[in-house]
Amino acid sequence: MPQASVIVVGNEKGGAGKSTIAIHTAVALLHGGARVAVIDLDLRQQSTAHFFANRRAWLSANNAAAPLPLEFAIPLGEDAPARFELAFAEASQGADFILVDTPGSDTDVSRAAHAKADLIVTPMNDSFVDFDMLGVVDPVTLELKRHSLYSETVWECRKQRAALDRKMIDWVVLRNRLAPTEARNRRRLDERVVALSRKVGFRLGPGLRDRVIYRELFPFGLTIADLSPAIRPVSMSLQHVAARQELRALMAALGLSGFAEVQPIAAE
């Protein structure tokens, strides 16, 4: 049996949009025909788990059909790492992809997930506050000085994985929730992100812009990949069309296929 590909969505800072990226990536893979297992390790907030619970409820109430993942719940407790190992082993038996959404903090169970990754996806907002988890800049010149906490975590997990099976974990940092306007702060940040990518070895990719569209579909457990003549809980607009293009660009940056084959739907 082919081994499942493991995608870990991680960043040790909250509010970067990890769950939004995890949800959209999982659903896009499902629409491509992949068998996807989802493990939500944000044990307190459980946004990804709540999304898929909403999805099951909405589809049932509306007699609609859309693909669903395999889901594995990890309860809070000191034995969370052991429970994760059991869930991961079970997920590996029935999935093409295992997608793990991690908390915005450094925990034992989060590190265990990162060490198993084939691909780590790190969304970061358009802010030096978010960048601080990846790299440290000089407070006077804003020049990059060194890598920071989360970069160190990924570096250690990469070394662990390389020693275990000689495989290098791919790491993609997504510029997420960008504002629609260009700013001097963004240009400064772009330069430091590129410099850090060369230093610690991650790729850069486009995330999802800060659109109401992504939030308004959450209560239904739906994403823009689900919208069709049969599934349309909100009125369509050109913004929805643009958001679907963003999701295609995200999947391409991650080297994942599937959603590109979904036919676009016209705006109303």
Side-chain angles (χ1 to χ4, degrees), residues 122 124-128 130-132 134-135 137 142-144 151 171-176 178 185-205:
T122 300
M124 64 166 286
N125 292 339
D126 198 24
S127 165
F128 275 102
D130 273 31
F131 181 76
D132 193 58
L134 298 175
V137 298
L142 293 185
E143 291 304 311
L144 178 67
S151 293
W171 184 17
V172 180
V173 172
L174 302 177
R175 300 299 305 279
N176 204 43
L178 296 183
N185 177 71
R186 182 183 299 172
R187 292 193 297 272
R188 288 174 171 171
L189 188 59
D190 284 345
E191 292 171 358
R192 278 66 185 177
V193 172
V194 170
L196 185 63
S197 71
R198 294 169 180 159
K199 184 178 180 64
V200 301
F202 57 73
R203 298 189 290 114
L204 287 169

Side-chain angles (χ1 to χ4, degrees), residues 146-160:
R146 58 179 174 83
H147 62 273
S148 192
L149 298 173
Y150 184 66
S151 293
E152 185 68 27
T153 296
V154 174
W155 179 255
E156 291 298 325
C157 289
R158 280 175 143 180
K159 288 197 299 183
Q160 180 180 339

Side-chain angles (χ1 to χ4, degrees), residues 74 78-88 109:
I74 309 294
E78 294 182 357
D79 61 346
R83 289 180 178 272
F84 167 70
E85 294 291 343
L86 291 173
F88 186 87
V109 70

Side-chain angles (χ1 to χ4, degrees), residues 4-11 21 25-26 29 88 97-102 110 113-123 150 154 157-158 161 167-174 201-205 250-257:
S5 296
V6 182
I7 304 170
V8 173
V9 183
N11 185 335
I21 293 295
T25 301
L29 288 170
F88 186 87
F97 293 91
I98 301 174
L99 191 144
V100 185
D101 188 9
T102 62
S110 179
H114 278 73
K116 293 181 181 296
D118 297 302
L119 169 64
I120 294 175
V121 181
T122 300
Y150 184 66
V154 174
C157 289
R158 280 175 143 180
R161 183 65 181 278
K167 183 167 184 176
M168 177 59 71
I169 298 173
D170 188 17
W171 184 17
V172 180
V173 172
L174 302 177
F202 57 73
R203 298 189 290 114
L204 287 169
L250 166 64
M251 296 299 285
L254 299 182
L256 302 172
S257 61

